[in-house]
Amino acid sequence: MMGSPVDWNEECDVLVIGSGGGALVGALAAAKGGLNTIVVEATDRFGGTTAYSGGGMWLPCNAALKRIGDDDTLDDAREYYRAVVGDRTLREVQDAFLDNGARMLDFLEQDPHLEFVVYPWPDYYGKAAKARAGGRHICPANLAVDTLGDLRNVLRPVLPVERIGAPLPEELEAGQALIGRLLLALRDQPRAELRLETPFEDYVVEDGAVTGVVVRKQGQPWRIRARRGVLAAAGGFERNAEMRSRFGVPGEISGCVGAPGNFGRAIAAGMEIGADVDLMGEAWWSPGILHPDGRATFSLGFTGGIFVDANGERFANESAAYDRLGREIIKAEEDGRLTRPFWMVYDSSAGIEPPVIFPTVPLVEREAYVAAGYRKQADSIEGLAAEIGVPADRLAATVARWNGFCDAGKDADFDRGGEAYDRFFMGEGGGSPLVPIKAGPFHAAAFSISDLGTKGGLRTDGKARVLRGDGTPIRGLYAAGNSMAAASGQTYPGGGNPIGSCAVFSWLAASDMIAALPQD
Ligand SMILES: Cc1cc2nc3c(=O)[nH]c(=O)nc-3n(C[C@H](O)[C@H](O)[C@H](O)COP(=O)(O)OP(=O)(O)OC[C@H]3O[C@@H](n4cnc5c(N)ncnc54)[C@H](O)[C@@H]3O)c2cc1C
């Protein structure tokens, strides 16, 4: 905090911290609104976790959905969201997200580089009121790599490229297409400037308002004045072991698939100037298949197998949406029922590999998993139990009970298959995920908990303005994405919630800054 006049090195209207999808939406909106905008990214690539992602956005009643005749209503979407999220977060914040998603997308689609298509993806709480089996989810249209030109070199590649050296794809899909398209749109904006390797360090506060930031420029402190405000859209703190421990975030960095620069400085610096935070123990969760390097990766689309705890018993609906399943894993661990790694038990009917459609990072050769102790095999269930260290009689009883459910067509314990999402990966028309475990030899694959990034952060109002503990906004400071305490609280209502809300609150922040008077 500054007591004497600040010796600024540079000035702009809007300073955006981070370069994930939301940050770039906010920057685009600010620049198109006539504001000189600087984006500072800590790493040597733009895109953050958003570049790894599916690029999906959950935005009810948006134009892309309407183009294909979607008959959803905002009232229905609100009823669903409320039923799932409850009162854990401010209604004002929930409504801001719901009411502005379609408007934000209208803004994006005015740009020739930004095109979105519907990707039907069921809501994650299929039994909640007004859940939609077809979802409320859109994705960016694919993009030919050549269209990006030199920008390809500054776009963070997908996780398989970073983790196991997979070849770069020839067509940009999903999060790659989203960041690629936003970079193209920003390149056309004379008022927008994007900088790599420029980590944000501190907010500058004058008379109780954030008037700029200190970043590192070529290793030296550099003070940038932001006349309209600063948008913190720098992801979560999933890669910061000290913050994870301080705020009690379950799991480890080895199970995190968030981007490498996400150390939470934009959140911690906010706390230092009096900002309130919320949901700090929360993340977007998932089961994570363990790889030979000891890292667990976000995994979804289980077309068979059952998860068992330390007693050899099932503890959840294995086909539930990944965040719900992740929460069951954490709960079972807290209850003392589950130790990690825990195991997926499956048979040979679909082959030797675990029945997982999207392990995020592709599986490498089986021998490496066997050598790491992450794959087990036996001719009998009792033999497999000995391999994975669970009681043989209990595992045999669990498998027999499961096979009975499969024969009856109903999972009487966890209702696996009871929601549209449970059946989504089971082929055209959604078959049953009740797949018996009968054909030996029998297998087990090791799993742990994975997170896609933390979701606790700076508490905001419905305009994305960061709040103090007393509920008053800190003038000049806004937050979005995983730097912001998530509107969805302790839930993940549907695919595309993280990026959808990140984009909406960044756009709202930019809109507020466009409407605001400069801080002189
Ligand atoms: C495989 C995968 C698939 C997913 N699919 C989807 C999906 O389809 N839809 C969806 O909604 N969500 C999805 N998610 C989750 C989603 O990608 C993230 O929650 C979301 O992208 C986070 O956005 P963000 O802008 O908050 O952070 P990020 O996208 O991680 O961006 C943060 C950026 O800020 C930078 N930064 C951090 N600290 C500083 C600093 N001090 N100074 C400057 N820069 C800094 C980081 O380097 C990073 O580039 C997926 C995640 C994964 C891993």
Side-chain angles (χ1 to χ4, degrees), residues 446-471:
F447 277 73
S448 188
I449 184 80
S450 176
D451 68 74
L452 288 58
T454 52
K455 63 185 300 197
L458 302 169
R459 198 163 69 84
T460 70
D461 65 9
K463 292 179 174 173
R465 298 182 300 182
V466 173
L467 302 175
R468 299 184 182 85
D470 65 6

PDB file of all heavy atoms in Angstrom, residues 446-471:
ATOM      1  N   ALA A 446      -4.933 -48.866 -10.410  1.00  0.00           N
ATOM      2  CA  ALA A 446      -4.826 -47.956  -9.254  1.00  0.00           C
ATOM      3  C   ALA A 446      -5.298 -46.553  -9.603  1.00  0.00           C
ATOM      4  O   ALA A 446      -4.980 -46.022 -10.676  1.00  0.00           O
ATOM      5  CB  ALA A 446      -3.373 -47.907  -8.783  1.00  0.00           C
ATOM      6  N   PHE A 447      -6.039 -45.959  -8.681  1.00  0.00           N
ATOM      7  CA  PHE A 447      -6.558 -44.596  -8.825  1.00  0.00           C
ATOM      8  C   PHE A 447      -6.224 -43.778  -7.584  1.00  0.00           C
ATOM      9  O   PHE A 447      -5.979 -44.319  -6.504  1.00  0.00           O
ATOM     10  CB  PHE A 447      -8.085 -44.605  -8.989  1.00  0.00           C
ATOM     11  CG  PHE A 447      -8.545 -44.857 -10.401  1.00  0.00           C
ATOM     12  CD1 PHE A 447      -8.444 -46.122 -10.969  1.00  0.00           C
ATOM     13  CD2 PHE A 447      -9.093 -43.831 -11.146  1.00  0.00           C
ATOM     14  CE1 PHE A 447      -8.866 -46.363 -12.263  1.00  0.00           C
ATOM     15  CE2 PHE A 447      -9.527 -44.058 -12.451  1.00  0.00           C
ATOM     16  CZ  PHE A 447      -9.416 -45.321 -13.009  1.00  0.00           C
ATOM     17  N   SER A 448      -6.285 -42.469  -7.775  1.00  0.00           N
ATOM     18  CA  SER A 448      -6.174 -41.548  -6.647  1.00  0.00           C
ATOM     19  C   SER A 448      -7.169 -40.414  -6.879  1.00  0.00           C
ATOM     20  O   SER A 448      -8.004 -40.491  -7.777  1.00  0.00           O
ATOM     21  CB  SER A 448      -4.736 -41.032  -6.536  1.00  0.00           C
ATOM     22  OG  SER A 448      -4.586 -40.298  -5.342  1.00  0.00           O
ATOM     23  N   ILE A 449      -7.057 -39.349  -6.071  1.00  0.00           N
ATOM     24  CA  ILE A 449      -7.922 -38.186  -6.287  1.00  0.00           C
ATOM     25  C   ILE A 449      -7.179 -37.212  -7.204  1.00  0.00           C
ATOM     26  O   ILE A 449      -5.974 -37.050  -7.094  1.00  0.00           O
ATOM     27  CB  ILE A 449      -8.311 -37.520  -4.942  1.00  0.00           C
ATOM     28  CG1 ILE A 449      -9.294 -36.370  -5.140  1.00  0.00           C
ATOM     29  CG2 ILE A 449      -7.103 -37.052  -4.153  1.00  0.00           C
ATOM     30  CD1 ILE A 449     -10.708 -36.797  -5.318  1.00  0.00           C
ATOM     31  N   SER A 450      -7.912 -36.618  -8.130  1.00  0.00           N
ATOM     32  CA  SER A 450      -7.321 -35.618  -9.019  1.00  0.00           C
ATOM     33  C   SER A 450      -8.133 -34.334  -8.918  1.00  0.00           C
ATOM     34  O   SER A 450      -9.330 -34.382  -8.604  1.00  0.00           O
ATOM     35  CB  SER A 450      -7.342 -36.138 -10.456  1.00  0.00           C
ATOM     36  OG  SER A 450      -6.859 -35.164 -11.359  1.00  0.00           O
ATOM     37  N   ASP A 451      -7.480 -33.202  -9.147  1.00  0.00           N
ATOM     38  CA  ASP A 451      -8.257 -31.959  -9.242  1.00  0.00           C
ATOM     39  C   ASP A 451      -7.896 -31.216 -10.508  1.00  0.00           C
ATOM     40  O   ASP A 451      -6.780 -31.313 -11.009  1.00  0.00           O
ATOM     41  CB  ASP A 451      -8.080 -31.085  -7.995  1.00  0.00           C
ATOM     42  CG  ASP A 451      -6.679 -30.516  -7.842  1.00  0.00           C
ATOM     43  OD1 ASP A 451      -6.334 -29.592  -8.586  1.00  0.00           O
ATOM     44  OD2 ASP A 451      -5.926 -31.006  -6.985  1.00  0.00           O
ATOM     45  N   LEU A 452      -8.896 -30.488 -11.010  1.00  0.00           N
ATOM     46  CA  LEU A 452      -8.728 -29.694 -12.229  1.00  0.00           C
ATOM     47  C   LEU A 452      -8.307 -28.273 -11.888  1.00  0.00           C
ATOM     48  O   LEU A 452      -8.193 -27.423 -12.762  1.00  0.00           O
ATOM     49  CB  LEU A 452     -10.057 -29.633 -12.999  1.00  0.00           C
ATOM     50  CG  LEU A 452     -10.596 -30.851 -13.721  1.00  0.00           C
ATOM     51  CD1 LEU A 452     -10.801 -32.026 -12.792  1.00  0.00           C
ATOM     52  CD2 LEU A 452     -11.909 -30.533 -14.413  1.00  0.00           C
ATOM     53  N   GLY A 453      -8.124 -28.034 -10.583  1.00  0.00           N
ATOM     54  CA  GLY A 453      -7.781 -26.696 -10.109  1.00  0.00           C
ATOM     55  C   GLY A 453      -8.640 -26.353  -8.912  1.00  0.00           C
ATOM     56  O   GLY A 453      -9.748 -26.871  -8.760  1.00  0.00           O
ATOM     57  N   THR A 454      -8.108 -25.470  -8.042  1.00  0.00           N
ATOM     58  CA  THR A 454      -8.907 -25.037  -6.895  1.00  0.00           C
ATOM     59  C   THR A 454      -9.984 -24.048  -7.370  1.00  0.00           C
ATOM     60  O   THR A 454      -9.866 -23.453  -8.443  1.00  0.00           O
ATOM     61  CB  THR A 454      -8.021 -24.367  -5.841  1.00  0.00           C
ATOM     62  OG1 THR A 454      -7.246 -23.333  -6.468  1.00  0.00           O
ATOM     63  CG2 THR A 454      -7.072 -25.384  -5.204  1.00  0.00           C
ATOM     64  N   LYS A 455     -11.025 -23.884  -6.565  1.00  0.00           N
ATOM     65  CA  LYS A 455     -12.113 -22.977  -6.936  1.00  0.00           C
ATOM     66  C   LYS A 455     -12.478 -22.026  -5.805  1.00  0.00           C
ATOM     67  O   LYS A 455     -13.499 -21.355  -5.852  1.00  0.00           O
ATOM     68  CB  LYS A 455     -13.338 -23.778  -7.391  1.00  0.00           C
ATOM     69  CG  LYS A 455     -13.930 -24.654  -6.308  1.00  0.00           C
ATOM     70  CD  LYS A 455     -15.077 -25.540  -6.801  1.00  0.00           C
ATOM     71  CE  LYS A 455     -16.230 -24.818  -7.358  1.00  0.00           C
ATOM     72  NZ  LYS A 455     -17.463 -25.647  -7.442  1.00  0.00           N
ATOM     73  N   GLY A 456     -11.634 -21.973  -4.758  1.00  0.00           N
ATOM     74  CA  GLY A 456     -11.832 -20.973  -3.710  1.00  0.00           C
ATOM     75  C   GLY A 456     -10.972 -19.775  -4.038  1.00  0.00           C
ATOM     76  O   GLY A 456      -9.870 -19.912  -4.570  1.00  0.00           O
ATOM     77  N   GLY A 457     -11.469 -18.590  -3.711  1.00  0.00           N
ATOM     78  CA  GLY A 457     -10.672 -17.414  -4.026  1.00  0.00           C
ATOM     79  C   GLY A 457     -11.329 -16.150  -3.527  1.00  0.00           C
ATOM     80  O   GLY A 457     -12.092 -16.169  -2.550  1.00  0.00           O
ATOM     81  N   LEU A 458     -11.045 -15.064  -4.231  1.00  0.00           N
ATOM     82  CA  LEU A 458     -11.519 -13.740  -3.819  1.00  0.00           C
ATOM     83  C   LEU A 458     -13.042 -13.691  -3.917  1.00  0.00           C
ATOM     84  O   LEU A 458     -13.617 -14.050  -4.947  1.00  0.00           O
ATOM     85  CB  LEU A 458     -10.880 -12.678  -4.723  1.00  0.00           C
ATOM     86  CG  LEU A 458      -9.338 -12.681  -4.718  1.00  0.00           C
ATOM     87  CD1 LEU A 458      -8.784 -11.800  -5.838  1.00  0.00           C
ATOM     88  CD2 LEU A 458      -8.814 -12.214  -3.364  1.00  0.00           C
ATOM     89  N   ARG A 459     -13.673 -13.248  -2.828  1.00  0.00           N
ATOM     90  CA  ARG A 459     -15.146 -13.192  -2.825  1.00  0.00           C
ATOM     91  C   ARG A 459     -15.577 -11.936  -3.586  1.00  0.00           C
ATOM     92  O   ARG A 459     -15.008 -10.861  -3.374  1.00  0.00           O
ATOM     93  CB  ARG A 459     -15.661 -13.168  -1.386  1.00  0.00           C
ATOM     94  CG  ARG A 459     -17.112 -13.546  -1.243  1.00  0.00           C
ATOM     95  CD  ARG A 459     -17.427 -13.899   0.194  1.00  0.00           C
ATOM     96  NE  ARG A 459     -17.366 -12.745   1.078  1.00  0.00           N
ATOM     97  CZ  ARG A 459     -18.369 -11.880   1.273  1.00  0.00           C
ATOM     98  NH1 ARG A 459     -19.523 -12.049   0.640  1.00  0.00           N
ATOM     99  NH2 ARG A 459     -18.238 -10.873   2.099  1.00  0.00           N
ATOM    100  N   THR A 460     -16.570 -12.099  -4.436  1.00  0.00           N
ATOM    101  CA  THR A 460     -17.024 -10.956  -5.258  1.00  0.00           C
ATOM    102  C   THR A 460     -18.525 -10.749  -5.120  1.00  0.00           C
ATOM    103  O   THR A 460     -19.248 -11.622  -4.628  1.00  0.00           O
ATOM    104  CB  THR A 460     -16.752 -11.202  -6.760  1.00  0.00           C
ATOM    105  OG1 THR A 460     -17.629 -12.228  -7.213  1.00  0.00           O
ATOM    106  CG2 THR A 460     -15.314 -11.580  -7.038  1.00  0.00           C
ATOM    107  N   ASP A 461     -18.968  -9.622  -5.669  1.00  0.00           N
ATOM    108  CA  ASP A 461     -20.404  -9.423  -5.838  1.00  0.00           C
ATOM    109  C   ASP A 461     -20.783  -9.825  -7.260  1.00  0.00           C
ATOM    110  O   ASP A 461     -19.974 -10.393  -8.005  1.00  0.00           O
ATOM    111  CB  ASP A 461     -20.803  -7.979  -5.487  1.00  0.00           C
ATOM    112  CG  ASP A 461     -20.198  -6.952  -6.445  1.00  0.00           C
ATOM    113  OD1 ASP A 461     -19.607  -7.357  -7.477  1.00  0.00           O
ATOM    114  OD2 ASP A 461     -20.314  -5.745  -6.163  1.00  0.00           O
ATOM    115  N   GLY A 462     -22.004  -9.514  -7.654  1.00  0.00           N
ATOM    116  CA  GLY A 462     -22.494  -9.910  -8.974  1.00  0.00           C
ATOM    117  C   GLY A 462     -21.862  -9.159 -10.130  1.00  0.00           C
ATOM    118  O   GLY A 462     -22.078  -9.510 -11.295  1.00  0.00           O
ATOM    119  N   LYS A 463     -21.089  -8.107  -9.824  1.00  0.00           N
ATOM    120  CA  LYS A 463     -20.375  -7.398 -10.899  1.00  0.00           C
ATOM    121  C   LYS A 463     -18.918  -7.823 -10.955  1.00  0.00           C
ATOM    122  O   LYS A 463     -18.097  -7.162 -11.578  1.00  0.00           O
ATOM    123  CB  LYS A 463     -20.452  -5.887 -10.661  1.00  0.00           C
ATOM    124  CG  LYS A 463     -21.856  -5.329 -10.830  1.00  0.00           C
ATOM    125  CD  LYS A 463     -21.839  -3.837 -10.546  1.00  0.00           C
ATOM    126  CE  LYS A 463     -23.221  -3.255 -10.850  1.00  0.00           C
ATOM    127  NZ  LYS A 463     -23.316  -1.845 -10.435  1.00  0.00           N
ATOM    128  N   ALA A 464     -18.576  -8.880 -10.237  1.00  0.00           N
ATOM    129  CA  ALA A 464     -17.202  -9.404 -10.155  1.00  0.00           C
ATOM    130  C   ALA A 464     -16.283  -8.485  -9.368  1.00  0.00           C
ATOM    131  O   ALA A 464     -15.061  -8.603  -9.428  1.00  0.00           O
ATOM    132  CB  ALA A 464     -16.622  -9.672 -11.550  1.00  0.00           C
ATOM    133  N   ARG A 465     -16.862  -7.530  -8.612  1.00  0.00           N
ATOM    134  CA  ARG A 465     -16.034  -6.638  -7.781  1.00  0.00           C
ATOM    135  C   ARG A 465     -15.612  -7.389  -6.525  1.00  0.00           C
ATOM    136  O   ARG A 465     -16.440  -8.007  -5.844  1.00  0.00           O
ATOM    137  CB  ARG A 465     -16.817  -5.383  -7.393  1.00  0.00           C
ATOM    138  CG  ARG A 465     -17.238  -4.563  -8.597  1.00  0.00           C
ATOM    139  CD  ARG A 465     -17.967  -3.305  -8.189  1.00  0.00           C
ATOM    140  NE  ARG A 465     -19.176  -3.585  -7.416  1.00  0.00           N
ATOM    141  CZ  ARG A 465     -20.011  -2.644  -6.980  1.00  0.00           C
ATOM    142  NH1 ARG A 465     -19.757  -1.383  -7.229  1.00  0.00           N
ATOM    143  NH2 ARG A 465     -21.094  -2.962  -6.293  1.00  0.00           N
ATOM    144  N   VAL A 466     -14.343  -7.322  -6.205  1.00  0.00           N
ATOM    145  CA  VAL A 466     -13.831  -8.039  -5.030  1.00  0.00           C
ATOM    146  C   VAL A 466     -14.300  -7.324  -3.762  1.00  0.00           C
ATOM    147  O   VAL A 466     -14.275  -6.087  -3.677  1.00  0.00           O
ATOM    148  CB  VAL A 466     -12.286  -8.127  -5.089  1.00  0.00           C
ATOM    149  CG1 VAL A 466     -11.723  -8.714  -3.801  1.00  0.00           C
ATOM    150  CG2 VAL A 466     -11.870  -8.972  -6.294  1.00  0.00           C
ATOM    151  N   LEU A 467     -14.740  -8.143  -2.786  1.00  0.00           N
ATOM    152  CA  LEU A 467     -15.319  -7.594  -1.555  1.00  0.00           C
ATOM    153  C   LEU A 467     -14.363  -7.707  -0.382  1.00  0.00           C
ATOM    154  O   LEU A 467     -13.571  -8.652  -0.294  1.00  0.00           O
ATOM    155  CB  LEU A 467     -16.610  -8.358  -1.224  1.00  0.00           C
ATOM    156  CG  LEU A 467     -17.695  -8.338  -2.305  1.00  0.00           C
ATOM    157  CD1 LEU A 467     -18.870  -9.233  -1.894  1.00  0.00           C
ATOM    158  CD2 LEU A 467     -18.177  -6.912  -2.580  1.00  0.00           C
ATOM    159  N   ARG A 468     -14.512  -6.764   0.537  1.00  0.00           N
ATOM    160  CA  ARG A 468     -13.838  -6.874   1.831  1.00  0.00           C
ATOM    161  C   ARG A 468     -14.687  -7.764   2.742  1.00  0.00           C
ATOM    162  O   ARG A 468     -15.821  -8.122   2.402  1.00  0.00           O
ATOM    163  CB  ARG A 468     -13.699  -5.496   2.481  1.00  0.00           C
ATOM    164  CG  ARG A 468     -12.883  -4.499   1.705  1.00  0.00           C
ATOM    165  CD  ARG A 468     -12.738  -3.195   2.495  1.00  0.00           C
ATOM    166  NE  ARG A 468     -11.982  -2.210   1.715  1.00  0.00           N
ATOM    167  CZ  ARG A 468     -12.531  -1.394   0.809  1.00  0.00           C
ATOM    168  NH1 ARG A 468     -13.826  -1.420   0.575  1.00  0.00           N
ATOM    169  NH2 ARG A 468     -11.763  -0.548   0.135  1.00  0.00           N
ATOM    170  N   GLY A 469     -14.171  -8.044   3.913  1.00  0.00           N
ATOM    171  CA  GLY A 469     -14.925  -8.849   4.878  1.00  0.00           C
ATOM    172  C   GLY A 469     -16.260  -8.226   5.252  1.00  0.00           C
ATOM    173  O   GLY A 469     -17.226  -8.920   5.547  1.00  0.00           O
ATOM    174  N   ASP A 470     -16.328  -6.884   5.210  1.00  0.00           N
ATOM    175  CA  ASP A 470     -17.587  -6.221   5.583  1.00  0.00           C
ATOM    176  C   ASP A 470     -18.559  -6.125   4.414  1.00  0.00           C
ATOM    177  O   ASP A 470     -19.619  -5.491   4.530  1.00  0.00           O
ATOM    178  CB  ASP A 470     -17.303  -4.825   6.162  1.00  0.00           C
ATOM    179  CG  ASP A 470     -16.685  -3.876   5.129  1.00  0.00           C
ATOM    180  OD1 ASP A 470     -16.577  -4.247   3.937  1.00  0.00           O
ATOM    181  OD2 ASP A 470     -16.306  -2.745   5.506  1.00  0.00           O
ATOM    182  N   GLY A 471     -18.213  -6.724   3.290  1.00  0.00           N
ATOM    183  CA  GLY A 471     -19.134  -6.752   2.143  1.00  0.00           C
ATOM    184  C   GLY A 471     -19.016  -5.554   1.216  1.00  0.00           C
ATOM    185  O   GLY A 471     -19.693  -5.505   0.184  1.00  0.00           O
TER     186      GLY A 471
END
